[in-house]
Amino acid sequence: MERGNQTTVTEFILLGFATSRDLQIILFVMFLLVYITSVLGNISMIALIQIDSRLHSPMYYFLTNLSFTDLCYSTVITPRMLEGFISDTKAISFLECAVQLFFFGILGVLECLLLAVMAYDRYVAICNPLLYTSIINSRVCFRLVSLAFAGSVLSSVVMSANTISLTFCGPNKINHFFCNFLPLIQLSCNDATGRVIGLLIVVIAVGFVSFSTILISYVYILSTILRIRSTTGRSKTFSTCASHLTVVCLFYGTGLIMYVQPSTSYSQEQDKAVSVFYTVLIPMLNPLIYSLRNKEVKQALRKAMYRKGG
């Protein structure tokens, strides 16, 4: 379509990683293995929680939702990235880009909010153990997850509409391996300063709410653990939230690198490197962390393997 002397962009080119053909093949094989591990790991975690009655508790209900989110997260991003490694055509239609952007926003925010919900669950379990079953019951669990999902959809609608409604009439090459907000906004023909500010407001608001919930929860958790006189008791209590704390550090660590940096030091290559970590590697690492650091999950896994072997 023509607008004066300008042509409206109908597709974008995902540049991906500027490497040699041989290196792209190596990266394709490596990330394919990562994706397969991520899919199998998260599906296995979901199945394990469903089949083992000892894992039918609020904490594992939230973990099921986290694993499902990670499964979807990697599936929205990784297959398209893999295609870019082996395909000469790196084009993605405007509609496909908008859909990927929308689901990327939903799943990123949802993961953020679910980690906050899981922190609150650990706070109640450790700081108010006698009231745990009455406070965190099945109805509350469903409501918390529903609120997290509703919040993620609303946030993504705002961010995606804020980005897609821009006019794209010039360069259509996105220096990234998927449709991400900032690289896309940079291609706009409009003055996008206000859109960037709006995007950052949503990101900061979601991050502040979730990170504050996690931080406050762990302040109380740490205070409770330090009051336990027995070293064994402290270690046992801390072990119930060690996996979650590890996942939180990984997720928010990469988030801080991505968003909490001066605009003058922003680098698209750094952006891509960090994006690989939180869209591809973290969804693979999360089920592994919970498998290796959680005693109940390891016991359930051994039980399942014993049944299969028997």
Side-chain angles (χ1 to χ4, degrees), residues 26-42:
I26 295 173
L27 290 174
F28 171 82
V29 173
M30 183 179 70
F31 283 117
L32 177 62
L33 293 175
V34 169
Y35 179 60
I36 292 172
T37 302
S38 177
V39 170
L40 292 178
N42 284 292

Side-chain angles (χ1 to χ4, degrees), residues 238-281:
F238 180 76
S239 67
T240 64
C241 56
S243 298
H244 175 260
L245 189 58
T246 303
V247 170
V248 165
C249 290
L250 283 173
F251 184 80
Y252 278 93
T254 54
L256 286 173
I257 294 174
M258 175 66 68
Y259 292 106
V260 185
Q261 60 176 327
S263 57
T264 54
S265 64
Y266 174 77
S267 164
Q268 288 188 328
E269 296 305 316
Q270 181 185 1
D271 188 345
K272 285 191 285 187
V274 176
S275 295
V276 166
F277 197 82
Y278 72 78
T279 61
V280 180
L281 296 181

Side-chain angles (χ1 to χ4, degrees), residues 101 155-168 181 185 192-200 202:
L101 194 72
S155 299
S156 186
V157 166
V158 173
M159 292 189 295
S160 300
N162 188 48
T163 303
I164 296 301
S165 61
L166 289 165
T167 301
F168 300 95
F181 292 99
I185 288 175
T193 304
R195 306 299 179 98
V196 173
I197 293 173
L199 175 65
L200 291 177
V202 175

Side-chain angles (χ1 to χ4, degrees), residues 122 126-127 217-242 245:
R122 291 299 83 206
I126 294 173
C127 301
S217 296
Y218 272 102
V219 166
Y220 280 103
I221 288 171
L222 182 60
S223 176
T224 300
I225 290 176
L226 292 176
R227 288 199 299 267
I228 300 175
R229 295 181 179 181
S230 168
T231 303
T232 303
R234 286 198 297 267
S235 177
K236 184 178 179 180
T237 303
F238 180 76
S239 67
T240 64
C241 56
L245 189 58

Side-chain angles (χ1 to χ4, degrees), residues 159-212:
M159 292 189 295
S160 300
N162 188 48
T163 303
I164 296 301
S165 61
L166 289 165
T167 301
F168 300 95
C169 54
N172 67 336
K173 294 181 179 180
I174 302 176
N175 188 14
H176 218 291
F177 59 90
F178 70 98
C179 287
N180 201 354
F181 292 99
L182 288 179
L184 196 57
I185 288 175
Q186 290 176 342
L187 296 181
S188 169
C189 303
N190 310 105
D191 179 6
T193 304
R195 306 299 179 98
V196 173
I197 293 173
L199 175 65
L200 291 177
I201 287 174
V202 175
V203 171
I204 291 171
V206 171
F208 177 77
V209 170
S210 58
F211 187 73
S212 296

